[in-house]
Amino acid sequence: MLSMPINRITAKRMLKEAGAERVSLQAAEELAEIINRYAYGIAKKAVNLSAHAKRKTVKKADIDLAV
């Protein structure tokens, strides 16, 4: 299963920095989940791209292409 590198506290902070006056727990949890799913998808694509290039190292270019 996917770990949660972005937690709800970080997501809440992001929303507040974006201008939110108040943020519900559910909104912070949902944003954290969406960010983590999106980042995991990019990571998987980047790993596949590096494997396709017959490399074990994921490079910045792989991330750029995965986005």
Side-chain angles (χ1 to χ4, degrees):
M1 186 66 183
L2 167 65
S3 65
M4 297 287 286
I6 301 292
N7 60 33
R8 68 176 185 250
I9 295 166
T10 302
K12 185 174 185 173
R13 188 176 337 116
M14 291 171 96
L15 287 163
K16 288 201 166 231
E17 287 177 8
E21 193 170 316
R22 298 174 65 192
V23 178
S24 72
L25 177 62
Q26 293 84 5
E29 287 174 345
E30 184 66 15
L31 180 59
E33 179 64 32
I34 290 169
I35 291 169
N36 286 313
R37 257 187 280 141
Y38 183 68
Y40 183 79
I42 292 170
K44 288 293 284 182
K45 288 178 188 175
V47 168
N48 289 337
L49 287 166
S50 67
H52 178 73
K54 299 185 183 347
R55 286 185 278 105
K56 292 182 180 180
T57 303
V58 176
K59 296 186 174 191
K60 180 186 178 301
D62 299 321
I63 301 292
D64 292 337
L65 287 171
V67 175

